Amino acid sequence: MRRPIIAGNWKMNTVPSSAAVLAENVKSNLSNCSWADIAVFPPYVGLTTVVAALKGSDIIVGGQNLFWEKEGAFTGAISAGMLAESGCRSVIIGHSERRTYFGETDERVNKKITAALAVGLNPIVCVGETLEQREADIAEEIIRRQVEDGLADHDDLKNITVAYEPVWAIGTGKNASPEQAGEIHFFIRNLVAQRWGKAAANEIRILYGGSVNPGNAAALAKNDDIDGFLIGGASLKADSFHQIALSVK
Ligand code: 13P
């Protein structure tokens, strides 16, 4: 059985002081969780206070993005090594908000994964179609390209997690139904089986993200191909994050 992951993407929310308070509250509910890996992804400037607040628990802290170069004249960028040194063990790569607002491409995703793995960060690689693409019946084609090109240089998927986040479901309050999500998760797992082999497909954890909340998580979690959640809005409240974690128990 794959161990579920419950991951909170805090996006551009919290300042270091409020991030520490949220982390403390997450810790008091979910420290050393026996049934799932728990991860939080604060803004860069909150990383060190969150790492300090979570000390003594096994909750994973990660970055929301990185740049693939090690160091140098790249104003505003953060390297994989900087995240690792700050106490991160994971990183989100290719989030649709990065793709939409910051020009992220599958080629860049591929390079960023290489940089993350090189310093021991486990990436969560996001894929997902827009509403127009779903309506044009090309969702699978889009996701196939994002998976195949994004993971192109990677023969070993052992430390990589995929998150299916349909763009139309992110922050809209309109989650994919368990059937819709299950269909795409099954598609991604088959894709992995074809390109990386059956063992890799059985092992890889595929998360669902997009308007997950305490009311819809249990129904989504029932699907065998859904291995946990990448949660935005509902991860900003320790209580709803905890409720969602309980749904995969
Ligand atoms: P919401 O849960 O707010 O829809 O955000 C999902 C997401 O983008 C997580 O990365």
Side-chain angles (χ1 to χ4, degrees):
M1 267 309 278
R2 293 178 294 268
R3 183 173 162 87
I5 302 178
I6 298 297
N9 175 7
W10 296 357
K11 306 192 180 184
M12 201 174 76
N13 296 292
T14 70
V15 293
S17 54
S18 58
V21 173
L22 178 54
E24 299 268 5
N25 291 336
V26 170
K27 183 182 172 183
S28 66
N29 292 329
L30 287 165
S31 190
N32 306 314
C33 177
S34 61
W35 67 90
D37 290 346
I38 308 294
V40 295
F41 296 83
Y44 293 136
V45 295
L47 286 173
T48 49
T49 54
V50 167
V51 167
L54 292 176
K55 213 166 171 207
S57 82
D58 60 5
I59 296 170
I60 296 161
V61 180
Q64 297 176 13
N65 180 38
L66 56 72
F67 185 54
W68 58 81
E69 293 289 349
K70 285 200 176 78
E71 60 189 2
F74 304 103
T75 302
I78 299 280
S79 72
M82 292 173 186
L83 293 179
E85 169 78 23
S86 305
C88 290
R89 290 192 278 153
S90 180
V91 62
I92 296 171
I93 296 179
H95 192 280
S96 69
E97 287 149 16
R98 300 291 322 168
R99 295 178 190 261
T100 304
Y101 304 124
F102 303 99
E104 191 80 292
T105 62
D106 294 326
E107 194 191 347
R108 286 165 164 250
V109 166
N110 189 33
K111 285 180 165 178
K112 290 182 177 191
I113 296 171
T114 305
L117 292 172
V119 300
L121 294 175
N122 295 344
I124 297 182
V125 182
C126 302
V127 300
E129 81 286 1
T130 63
L131 184 60
E132 295 70 39
Q133 290 162 340
R134 174 160 281 264
E135 285 174 349
D137 212 15
I138 55 168
E140 292 188 353
E141 189 183 312
I142 296 297
I143 289 159
R144 172 187 292 277
R145 197 176 62 221
Q146 290 173 337
V147 171
E148 290 184 345
D149 294 357
L151 301 177
D153 289 345
H154 305 284
D155 292 331
D156 185 355
L157 304 187
K158 195 169 80 238
N159 295 318
I160 299 176
T161 297
V162 171
Y164 168 54
E165 298 207 306
V167 179
W168 48 272
I170 296 177
T172 58
K174 192 177 149 193
N175 64 292
S177 67
E179 295 71 29
Q180 286 171 319
E183 215 169 80
I184 299 288
H185 281 237
F186 181 72
F187 173 76
I188 295 171
R189 209 172 290 288
N190 274 330
L191 202 56
V192 171
Q194 285 160 26
R195 157 79 170 77
W196 287 272
K198 271 213 161 117
N202 281 334
E203 264 171 43
I204 193 163
R205 292 181 286 184
I206 306 174
L207 313 183
Y208 169 75
S211 296
V212 175
N213 63 43
N216 58 29
L220 286 157
K222 274 203 187 110
N223 187 296
D224 282 347
D225 284 313
I226 299 179
D227 304 312
F229 300 114
L230 182 54
I231 307 145
S235 73
L236 295 171
K237 295 229 157 54
D239 189 47
S240 49
F241 189 61
H242 183 208
Q243 294 305 317
I244 294 168
L246 290 173
S247 76
V248 302
K249 199 167 176 179

